[in-house]
Amino acid sequence: MAGRQTTARLARATEAVAAAEAAQDTAQDTAEHLAGREVVIAPGGCTGWHFHRVPLIALVKSGTLTRILHDNSEVVHRPGTSFVEPPGIEHLHLGRNLGTVPVVLYVTCTLAEGEAFSIPADAPPGATPCDCPVFLP
């Protein structure tokens, strides 16, 4: 019986090593698709209405960002703060710089090669229309 227990333990250990290697491969694949971008919004500028296909993490480096969400609520982000933008068209939003200095955001997410950071969209019903001259992806 002792031989069987050792064999069982060896099989479990081999399965654990295989699972760890698979997890490491997945983590490497994810890291290879980690994308980062600096977004600058000039005073008076905005991003245009858009959404993201994947969760996005943003850090406000400078300036004050005002996000208008799909339900017309506003969220203000000051320098040094961070936030997560959830994925999906149901999370449409618009970023505005109502201040006098540029808003600088550091944004990161995992994207497949060639996939866009954001997808432009029309304003949701009842929301503030966008009068931005240029969409910032």
Side-chain angles (χ1 to χ4, degrees):
M1 274 216 202
R4 289 184 186 172
Q5 289 176 344
T6 303
T7 303
R9 288 182 184 154
L10 179 59
R12 284 188 215 135
T14 303
E15 290 171 7
V17 168
E21 287 174 349
Q24 184 177 10
D25 288 346
T26 300
Q28 287 174 346
D29 288 346
T30 301
E32 289 173 7
H33 297 296
L34 188 62
R37 176 174 290 177
E38 180 182 81
V39 176
V40 179
I41 306 170
C46 69
T47 61
W49 283 99
H50 66 281
F51 66 96
H52 306 282
R53 293 186 203 266
V54 297
L56 184 138
I57 301 169
L59 169 69
V60 181
K61 173 68 175 158
S62 64
T64 299
L65 175 69
T66 301
R67 285 192 310 142
I68 302 170
L69 307 181
H70 65 282
D71 61 1
N72 222 24
S73 62
E74 291 186 8
V75 182
V76 176
H77 302 281
R78 304 199 188 294
T81 62
S82 62
F83 57 93
V84 174
E85 292 188 335
I89 195 162
E90 64 275 14
H91 297 288
L92 281 173
H93 56 280
L94 169 74
R96 289 191 179 275
N97 180 354
L98 303 175
T100 58
V101 299
V103 167
V104 178
L105 304 173
Y106 295 146
V107 180
T108 188
C109 60
T110 55
L111 290 174
E113 190 171 331
E115 190 174 7
F117 257 79
S118 58
I119 295 91
D122 292 331
T128 304
C130 175
D131 57 357
C132 301
V134 176
F135 173 76
L136 293 176

